Amino acid sequence: SSRTSLYSMCLSLAVLSHIATSFSFVPRSFDRSQRAFVESPPRRSSVMMAAENDPKRVVVIGNGMVGQRFMENLLKHDADKSKCIISTFCEEPRAAYNRVKLTSYFETLDPSSLSMTSEFDEEGRTPWYEENNVELLLNDKAVAMDTEAKTVTGASGKTIPYDVAVFATGSFPFVPPS
């Protein structure tokens, strides 16, 4: 529904603003009483975290419209590509495409007309990911997340470490009972 989509978009924008305004990645949590993000006490992790000046690993779970726009906006704040390393899990065989235009696909039968970046190659990728040093994991649904070790594992078995994980998995339409 549009309400769920709006909620997902607002949540993604909140995460984006949190990341983009603070590349130091100070741990924060949402305090409902203050209706704001507040600094959280540091957590001890069994995994060695990246040094403060090292690029931060950002894992985006979901490579749909919101996930793609999130990465584009994050990269605007990292023009020299030195502050973050991005990986994105995409359970579909093609990189991000505009689902709103799906019905117009039948006018051209060209999947690239739906692409959010540029034309798809034979593997379902577009040059945008390589040009922006984004690791695109096609046909690889994120199936496990270890918050203690700070890793996300795909159905392929590939495990990616993260400093920040972003959920951009979309939503399912709600159909009221009859």
Side-chain angles (χ1 to χ4, degrees):
S1 77
S2 62
R3 176 182 250 175
T4 305
S5 298
L6 180 61
Y7 172 77
S8 297
M9 195 179 307
C10 289
L11 183 59
S12 296
L13 291 173
V15 170
L16 174 62
S17 88
H18 172 66
I19 291 172
T21 58
S22 175
F23 271 111
S24 63
F25 292 96
V26 174
R28 291 182 164 79
S29 59
F30 191 76
D31 183 333
R32 289 178 188 235
S33 65
Q34 296 181 37
R35 295 181 187 237
F37 284 99
V38 294
E39 193 168 323
S40 299
R43 288 190 311 175
R44 295 193 178 250
S45 175
S46 57
V47 173
M48 186 172 159
M49 299 301 295
E52 190 157 326
N53 293 329
D54 287 349
K56 305 304 180 220
R57 293 271 327 177
V58 178
V59 173
V60 179
I61 301 170
N63 183 238
M65 295 171 70
V66 172
Q68 180 64 33
R69 290 295 181 239
F70 172 82
M71 291 184 291
E72 290 171 4
N73 287 324
L74 182 59
L75 288 168
K76 285 180 188 174
H77 295 281
D78 188 16
D80 63 355
K81 298 176 181 72
S82 64
K83 296 177 184 171
C84 63
I85 300 168
I86 303 173
S87 298
T88 182
F89 283 91
C90 176
E91 73 177 287
E92 297 198 44
R94 284 196 174 86
Y97 60 90
N98 188 332
R99 285 148 177 82
V100 176
K101 293 183 178 178
L102 271 174
T103 54
S104 65
Y105 165 77
F106 295 102
E107 295 171 9
T108 64
L109 298 178
D110 178 14
S112 290
S113 68
L114 302 176
S115 173
M116 298 211 35
T117 56
S118 60
E119 289 198 15
F120 294 116
D121 64 16
E122 309 79 46
E123 296 177 356
R125 299 173 181 279
T126 67
W128 183 90
Y129 296 89
E130 190 173 325
E131 291 166 0
N132 289 285
N133 299 320
V134 173
E135 181 180 21
L136 173 63
L137 303 163
L138 287 178
N139 292 306
D140 202 2
K141 178 181 182 178
V143 294
M145 181 177 205
D146 183 335
T147 57
E148 198 60 35
K150 297 193 92 163
T151 60
V152 177
T153 302
S156 69
K158 183 164 187 159
T159 299
I160 307 286
Y162 69 86
D163 294 302
V164 176
V166 177
F167 287 82
T169 55
S171 61
F172 292 97
F174 172 73
V175 179
S178 51

